[in-house]
Amino acid sequence: MLLALDVGNTNITIGAFKGASLTGRWRLRTISEQTPDEWGILMRSLFSLSSLDLTKVNGVIISSVVPAVDQPLMAMAERYFQREPMFVTHTTDIGIKNLYDNPREVGADRLVNAVAGFHKYGGPCVVVDLGTTINFDVVSRNAEFLGGIIAPGIGMSISGLFAKTARLPMVDFRAPEKLVGSNTVGSIQSGLYYGFLGLIDGVVERIVADLGADTKAIATGGQGQLIASGSRLVKICDEDLTLEGLRLIWERNHKS
């Protein structure tokens, strides 16, 4: 069994694979202060609740953009799974060419998404990852990671709107009942939803114009389904894309 962990600034997504099948998936808050034992206790609880056997894990792979969490997770893997984890970096053999000006600058999650997007949907493609930021990661038809576009995330915008105004309430990100809001909450929800749809469609439209009409656009991340349901250009939502990318990279680097 393979344990895959995608560590983001806000959440850590955890997947357990038996072969190519994702048998367990969990999402936790990223807490930099947690000790290896606290992470280990969490893992034991998650596996137990899902009736999965911790002792069956024979590999651990991690993509992380939070350096403070790396050492505790490494110690957790060694202590609780007796495995040295594989961290995805710019030097990892991922099967696609990284054309970033400085390959060290690319977040591991972006490379993992690029691998999964190209493997599952072909190239050219753009993966729209809706996390703390909105990342547009672009892969050519020749399996090259071309780079991408980074925009402020939805949660970041909601928090900023609430923090920087005296009377506007905190709201959830959801499709509004109608376009023109007739109350404050509805007006904010409409602005957020259609504003981000417009941003995403606008960026994807320019990428498609640059790469060709056969460019596939795939949404992933927390609000991926909401965006895909309303977008003109992003019609695929793949919630487990990053975990699938981690599995593919592990298998590429551990061929028997």
Side-chain angles (χ1 to χ4, degrees):
M1 187 185 299
L2 174 66
L3 179 64
L5 300 97
D6 172 42
V7 183
N9 288 294
T10 305
N11 295 309
I12 174 170
T13 305
I14 304 163
F17 287 92
K18 289 183 179 178
S21 299
L22 184 63
T23 57
R25 173 168 49 80
W26 310 276
R27 187 184 296 268
L28 307 174
R29 286 185 302 139
T30 302
I31 303 175
S32 300
E33 295 79 14
Q34 283 197 150
T35 67
D37 288 325
E38 288 172 326
W39 283 116
I41 291 167
L42 278 171
M43 295 298 170
R44 282 188 180 275
S45 298
L46 294 173
F47 270 65
S48 176
L49 289 169
S50 299
S51 300
L52 296 174
D53 187 352
L54 214 69
T55 65
K56 299 296 185 183
V57 172
N58 55 18
V60 181
I61 184 169
I62 301 171
S63 66
S64 172
V65 296
V66 186
V69 179
D70 294 355
Q71 193 282 327
L73 287 180
M74 177 179 287
M76 177 276 295
E78 293 173 344
R79 189 174 304 167
Y80 287 84
F81 296 97
Q82 291 76 52
R83 301 289 171 182
E84 181 179 347
M86 173 184 176
F87 281 85
V88 178
T89 72
H90 69 283
T91 63
T92 303
D93 178 8
I94 62 174
I96 63 175
K97 188 174 182 180
N98 183 355
L99 296 186
Y100 226 56
D101 291 343
N102 182 356
R104 293 175 179 271
E105 292 181 359
V106 186
D109 56 336
R110 299 179 63 193
L111 294 175
V112 171
N113 282 339
V115 168
F118 183 82
H119 180 85
K120 295 187 70 175
Y121 303 100
C125 67
V126 52
V127 176
V128 185
D129 188 356
L130 295 118
T132 305
T133 57
I134 302 176
N135 296 338
F136 301 80
D137 296 313
V138 183
V139 186
S140 75
R141 66 181 75 252
N142 298 318
E144 300 159 321
F145 175 72
L146 301 177
I149 296 165
I150 301 174
I154 295 170
M156 187 186 302
S157 298
I158 293 173
S159 298
L161 189 65
F162 176 71
K164 297 296 184 180
T165 59
R167 300 183 64 182
L168 295 182
M170 180 73 79
V171 300
D172 295 328
F173 183 73
R174 63 177 64 183
E177 295 180 0
K178 52 186 178 180
L179 173 63
V180 180
S182 53
N183 54 62
T184 302
V185 169
S187 298
I188 296 172
Q189 287 178 333
S190 188
L192 289 167
Y193 183 70
Y194 291 110
F196 277 103
L197 277 180
L199 182 155
I200 290 166
D201 277 342
V203 170
V204 171
E205 185 175 34
R206 290 175 181 270
I207 292 171
V208 171
D210 192 46
L211 296 184
D214 59 338
T215 303
K216 279 71 67 176
I218 308 104
T220 192
Q223 293 96 5
Q225 189 59 59
L226 264 176
I227 292 300
S229 66
S231 171
R232 292 183 294 106
L233 300 174
V234 184
K235 295 302 182 184
I236 303 169
C237 178
D238 193 330
E239 186 177 2
D240 300 320
L241 191 73
T242 312
L243 294 177
E244 289 285 350
L246 285 169
R247 178 184 65 81
L248 290 166
I249 292 171
W250 174 269
E251 290 178 353
R252 181 178 181 85
N253 285 270
H254 292 81
K255 293 177 181 177
S256 56

